[in-house]
Amino acid sequence: MTEVDTRYFADWAGHTLYHTSGEKIGRVEELWTDDDQGRPTWLTVRSLFGGRDSLVPVLGVRPRDDGDLETAYSKDLIKDAPHVEPNPTAEGRHIDESEEERLYRHYQVPPQMARQEETTGRDVSGPTTDDAMTRSEERLRVGTEQRERGRARLRKYVVTETEQVEVPVSREEVRLEREPITDANRHQAMDGPVISEEEHEVVLREERPVVDTEAVPVERVRLAKEQVQDTETVAGEVRKERIESDGTERGPRG
């Protein structure tokens, strides 16, 4: 496998490679082609981890709308890829087949699958092009993720209110009672001087309301979570390929 200098992938060099999640991986430096087919199979990425160049399979690399590139291989997988130092040859720099096999094993890509991707369906003049064209399109993949919506807590505080309660109370009052002199009370009536001045005192009592408070438990309160099912509408842009035919129209038959 040797370094490639072809216009087919020439605009890839200098662009940034991202993971499909949007994480930035590094800048594309060089493209490498297979010795047998002459198709690009690897690209060199100047990564963000220590400035070391890493080889990434061209298989699965797709252009983004902004002109940069994206791959399904994660940043950590690319970071841990075997480091390959190209060997100088008469035609330029070259990566040995054994080292290429190590890279294929690391990325878990069968070499025959990579070579098939490199040689099939790229143009209309290749040796493996058939009489059919594959039309592809993007489809939305919708799922859900858990995220923190908010937090709820219980807080207890004290308020002072005024309550009115009717309390029954009683009091003593005096009234005059007169009773005639009879044989039963005559001896009490005749006890003492016949004519005199006297005072009698009676103690009167009454009830007054007394207010006091006591703390009593009235209820227990706790927080409980429940699942509420809802439906939301999401939208996204997808790209679709269209196929048109260019041919010669027949003239009218006379």
Side-chain angles (χ1 to χ4, degrees):
M1 188 177 68
T2 56
E3 184 179 0
V4 69
D5 183 15
T6 176
R7 294 182 180 180
Y8 189 83
F9 291 94
D11 59 344
W12 283 20
H15 286 276
T16 302
L17 181 66
Y18 292 86
H19 185 251
T20 51
S21 64
E23 184 181 18
K24 184 176 181 181
I25 297 176
R27 186 181 65 183
V28 177
E29 296 291 332
E30 298 173 330
L31 294 166
W32 298 80
T33 185
D34 185 83
D35 290 337
D36 298 330
Q37 302 293 336
R39 305 299 304 176
T41 54
W42 300 92
L43 54 84
T44 306
V45 176
R46 178 64 52 85
S47 60
L48 302 177
F49 19 83
R52 180 173 64 86
D53 292 346
S54 300
L55 287 173
V56 181
V58 172
L59 176 64
V61 175
R62 295 291 182 266
R64 300 181 358 149
D65 293 338
D66 57 4
D68 289 326
L69 307 170
E70 67 180 14
T71 179
Y73 297 111
S74 67
K75 184 175 180 179
D76 291 336
L77 185 65
I78 296 173
K79 176 182 177 181
D80 297 335
H83 180 63
V84 175
E85 188 66 35
N87 299 321
T89 65
E91 298 179 356
R93 295 191 299 161
H94 183 271
I95 296 178
D96 295 337
E97 183 176 351
S98 60
E99 295 179 328
E100 185 179 12
E101 294 295 334
R102 288 173 53 207
L103 291 169
Y104 278 134
R105 287 194 300 271
H106 174 76
Y107 288 104
Q108 298 182 355
V109 178
Q112 61 273 18
M113 182 181 297
R115 294 190 180 96
Q116 180 180 0
E117 172 73 13
E118 297 155 13
T119 60
T120 303
R122 292 294 187 181
D123 54 37
V124 296
S125 61
T128 60
T129 302
D130 55 20
D131 58 354
M133 181 180 295
T134 301
R135 185 181 69 85
S136 303
E137 66 181 27
E138 294 178 339
R139 296 185 178 180
L140 292 179
R141 291 185 296 180
V142 181
T144 60
E145 64 175 359
Q146 291 283 344
R147 65 181 181 89
E148 185 174 306
R149 178 174 175 266
R151 297 193 178 190
R153 60 172 57 91
L154 289 177
R155 183 171 62 89
K156 186 170 68 172
Y157 58 95
V158 178
V159 297
T160 301
E161 297 179 351
T162 301
E163 293 186 358
Q164 292 184 351
V165 180
E166 292 186 354
V167 181
V169 294
S170 62
R171 66 177 180 274
E172 296 177 343
E173 295 182 352
V174 296
R175 69 173 184 274
L176 291 177
E177 292 183 355
R178 300 176 184 273
E179 60 181 18
I181 302 299
T182 63
D183 294 338
N185 60 14
R186 183 179 298 275
H187 68 284
Q188 294 177 344
M190 298 300 293
D191 186 16
V194 177
I195 301 296
S196 64
E197 294 182 356
E198 296 182 11
E199 288 185 0
H200 281 244
E201 184 178 87
V202 177
V203 177
L204 302 178
R205 298 185 178 275
E206 65 178 4
E207 293 179 340
R208 291 184 179 180
V210 177
V211 179
D212 195 5
T213 60
E214 63 174 341
V216 295
V218 293
E219 64 178 351
R220 291 178 58 82
V221 181
R222 65 172 56 89
L223 289 176
K225 295 192 300 184
E226 61 179 8
Q227 291 285 344
V228 179
Q229 194 70 27
D230 201 354
T231 302
E232 293 188 2
T233 302
V234 297
E237 294 183 353
V238 296
R239 297 177 298 173
K240 298 182 179 180
E241 297 176 343
R242 294 289 185 261
I243 299 176
E244 297 180 352
S245 62
D246 292 331
T248 304
E249 297 182 356
R250 292 185 178 181
R253 290 184 295 178

